[in-house]
Amino acid sequence: MSSLLEIQGLHKRFGTTEVLKGVDCAVRQSEVVAIIGSSGSGKTTLLRCINMLEDFQAGRIVLDGEEIGYETRDGVRRRKSEKEIARQRALTGMAFQQFNLFPHLTAAENVMLGLVKLKRMSRDEARTLAMRWLDRVGLAERADHFPGQLSGGQQQRVAIARAIAMQPKLMLFDEVTSALDPELVGEVLQVIKGLAADGMTMMLVTHEMRFAHEVAGRVIFMNGGVIGEEGNPKKMFLAPQTERLAEFLKSSSFN
Amino acid sequence: MFDLQSFLNELWIARWAVLFGLGTTVAISALAIVFGSIVGTLVGLALTYGGRFLRLAVRAYTDFVRGTPVLVLVLASYYVMSTVGINLTPFQAGVLALAVFCSSHVGEIVRGALQAIPKGQMEAAKAIGLTFRQTFLWVLLPQALRQILPTWVNTAAEMVKASTLLSVIGVSELLLRTQEIISRNFLSLEFYFFAGALYFVINFGIELFGKYVERKTAVAGQG
């Protein structure tokens, strides 16, 4: 089976610091991939390159047959137009550590914005769809609340609904539970689990080892800008092949 | 000695002069605020998101204008523009000077408001697939406006007050009209007070308008 996402030789520099030093990986349709690793290992940067929130200097990212962000013509690699990149960004959905809901819009309006402005839906259509997704994340009755009136867990669920409503081919989750109080983590993970059960293709950067173990079909361990180890979570967590991963797992909450 | 009867009498005689002066002041201020705010928004955008060269050029413009007394701007736009072949009426020159002054202030206000918006807002908008224009219109500007409004009201009031400087290039705005009236009837105390009260009414109106918009656009759950 061919891959939905293919990454080849991805290199990313911030100034002179090389953060990604040649990452190769592929994600199949409906696969759930957890990316773990210590801070600074490049896991968030990897995720952000996939939807061009970060430029990258070398390598290719191909999503559903489309090269993301760059094109090579006559041997010259150049960044695609902003308009084209904006269109490609909509192919993926992203949820952030800090939720990043639009504070001046209600929960429903947050979900509706992309539907109205990009998918050119009428407000009624968009509202109906938004309500369906809010209901899905268990927040239909909070639809007309502003983000400032919602708890962190609720905000994150709205943010996930906002991303999913755009029907992305791939969902990216960037440490979506890191900013939450422990008792609010569960409700967000529950939503993600539901999406996984629906067959949504997902990549999630996470510190929740137990969750990664439970929901991910595959785990990628990032170490120093490259993939240190990858494979089945059960095997990896129980019998890490590299010393680095063994060390990382020992220091993380999973035991 | 204050004599209400004679003041009212003189005011009645001068009523058209006062009204025209008031009208001119309001018109000039309104035009300057509108144009200045439009250009100022672009200035703020350039300062926040422009490339290095654009940013430098616009920064030079705002710093230069902000460092120059408004009176100098007024005199320059009337007397200097004509030396390069652009002949403006006093009214036009006055609007130009005040609009330029206003744009530099609004530019700084807009820059500050845009920079105060967390980076995540832009990223979230990008992640949905919004273009920069859409992001600015639907995500950044609505948030920035709420920040901008209180300071913008101050700037608008400053413009009204600065419009008095146009009397030196012969724009018949409220102050110049008042001086003309006083030179006829010598009721300087009464008429200066009266003019002052009119300026106060205009600025108080602007302030009320600002408060009204602020209330209208208040978002629940935000400090």
Side-chain angles (χ1 to χ4, degrees):
Chain A
M1 190 177 161
S2 74
S3 311
L4 176 71
L5 175 78
E6 213 156 322
I7 299 175
Q8 295 162 353
L10 185 63
H11 284 262
K12 162 73 187 172
R13 270 193 316 272
F14 286 109
T16 54
T17 325
E18 197 164 32
V19 182
L20 296 177
K21 303 171 183 169
V23 173
D24 300 273
C25 72
V27 178
R28 288 190 314 278
Q29 183 76 45
S30 295
E31 199 178 9
V32 178
V33 177
I35 305 170
I36 60 171
S38 48
S39 57
S41 61
K43 52 191 194 308
T44 289
T45 306
L46 172 62
L47 215 60
R48 290 166 60 88
C49 283
I50 295 171
N51 70 355
M52 285 298 284
L53 283 184
E54 301 289 352
D55 292 353
F56 49 93
Q57 283 73 36
R60 275 158 55 88
I61 297 178
V62 179
L63 178 64
D64 202 22
E66 259 190 66
E67 180 160 1
I68 299 292
Y70 296 88
E71 58 193 347
T72 310
R73 248 191 268 151
D74 307 325
V76 185
R77 177 181 186 267
R78 48 169 85 81
R79 205 170 185 274
K80 291 185 174 175
S81 70
E82 275 311 315
K83 211 175 152 196
E84 178 64 5
I85 288 175
R87 187 189 64 76
Q88 290 190 326
R89 282 196 182 110
L91 299 175
T92 57
M94 187 160 192
F96 300 85
Q97 184 175 358
Q98 298 298 336
F99 333 134
N100 298 345
L101 287 182
F102 306 132
H104 61 296
L105 301 177
T106 62
E109 287 169 340
N110 263 277
V111 182
M112 289 162 64
L113 185 65
L115 301 174
V116 172
K117 299 301 169 197
L118 292 174
K119 302 231 179 225
R120 304 265 163 228
M121 287 186 191
S122 71
R123 281 189 70 85
D124 286 345
E125 276 178 282
R127 169 97 192 172
T128 309
L129 195 63
M131 287 311 292
R132 200 155 76 221
W133 282 110
L134 286 175
D135 188 40
R136 179 63 204 280
V137 299
L139 287 171
E141 78 283 5
R142 292 271 187 277
D144 297 315
H145 285 56
F146 287 95
Q149 300 169 306
L150 300 174
S151 74
Q154 292 172 332
Q155 288 191 50
Q156 190 60 286
R157 281 145 68 198
V158 174
I160 292 171
R162 175 176 70 178
I164 297 285
M166 297 298 287
Q167 292 182 297
K169 296 177 193 290
L170 170 70
M171 261 307 289
L172 308 170
F173 294 88
D174 184 15
E175 301 191 24
V176 287
T177 56
S178 302
L180 295 176
D181 292 337
E183 75 265 27
L184 300 178
V185 169
E187 62 189 61
V188 172
L189 295 184
Q190 207 56 45
V191 166
I192 297 176
K193 232 187 261 179
L195 293 172
D198 285 359
M200 171 64 77
T201 315
M202 305 194 280
M203 292 178 86
L204 24 106
V205 168
T206 185
H207 292 298
E208 304 280 336
M209 294 303 145
R210 203 177 294 276
F211 181 68
H213 184 264
E214 203 177 318
V215 80
R218 184 154 52 102
V219 171
I220 290 176
F221 171 61
M222 291 290 293
N223 185 26
V226 294
I227 293 179
E229 196 172 332
E230 68 177 305
N232 178 296
K234 303 203 169 38
K235 254 192 260 166
M236 266 176 81
F237 286 170
L238 290 177
Q241 300 296 301
T242 59
E243 204 168 307
R244 222 17 229 106
L245 177 58
E247 240 169 77
F248 174 75
L249 289 175
K250 212 182 295 170
S251 64
S252 74
S253 53
F254 187 82
N255 40 42
Chain B
M1 226 18 242
F2 180 66
D3 178 351
L4 184 64
Q5 188 62 48
S6 67
F7 168 66
L8 289 177
N9 200 27
E10 288 297 328
L11 186 60
W12 181 249
I13 294 169
R15 66 192 183 280
W16 293 117
V18 170
L19 274 180
F20 280 128
L22 182 66
T24 308
T25 288
V26 170
I28 284 187
S29 308
L31 285 171
I33 291 166
V34 168
F35 286 123
S37 298
I38 293 170
V39 177
T41 306
L42 299 177
V43 164
L45 264 176
L47 285 176
T48 319
Y49 302 112
R52 191 187 312 178
F53 182 74
L54 179 65
R55 240 178 21 234
L56 217 70
V58 175
R59 166 61 52 207
Y61 164 81
T62 52
D63 282 356
F64 180 75
V65 171
R66 272 152 44 97
T68 310
V70 195
L71 184 56
V72 175
L73 288 177
V74 171
L75 293 172
S77 74
Y78 188 50
Y79 294 111
V80 181
M81 292 297 268
S82 64
T83 64
V84 293
I86 303 171
N87 285 307
L88 300 175
T89 64
F91 184 90
Q92 291 167 336
V95 170
L96 175 67
L98 290 187
V100 164
F101 178 58
C102 182
S103 74
S104 69
H105 280 260
V106 171
E108 278 299 319
I109 298 169
V110 170
R111 181 194 59 76
L114 286 175
Q115 283 180 349
I117 298 174
K119 238 178 64 201
Q121 291 293 309
M122 174 86 104
E123 293 187 345
K126 276 183 177 174
I128 295 175
L130 296 181
T131 60
F132 179 78
R133 214 175 58 94
Q134 291 170 324
T135 303
F136 178 70
L137 274 179
W138 308 111
V139 177
L140 303 178
L141 190 61
Q143 294 185 53
L145 277 179
R146 293 177 173 86
Q147 285 254 340
I148 288 167
L149 201 66
T151 348
W152 181 85
V153 166
N154 276 341
T155 304
E158 284 303 320
M159 289 307 120
V160 176
K161 288 187 258 177
S163 73
T164 54
L165 295 169
L166 303 188
S167 57
V168 299
I169 55 169
V171 178
S172 300
E173 42 68 68
L174 185 55
L175 181 65
L176 188 59
R177 292 284 189 173
T178 304
Q179 286 173 326
E180 285 166 2
I181 294 163
I182 290 168
S183 70
R184 241 185 357 252
N185 58 28
F186 301 105
L187 296 174
S188 55
L189 177 73
E190 292 86 340
F191 274 89
Y192 275 131
F193 253 111
F194 185 67
L198 287 180
Y199 281 111
F200 172 77
V201 167
I202 298 173
N203 281 341
F204 194 64
I206 292 176
E207 202 174 310
L208 285 184
F209 172 72
K211 288 251 166 64
Y212 170 77
V213 177
E214 221 170 307
R215 247 197 336 272
K216 274 276 172 201
T217 57
V219 170
Q222 272 193 304

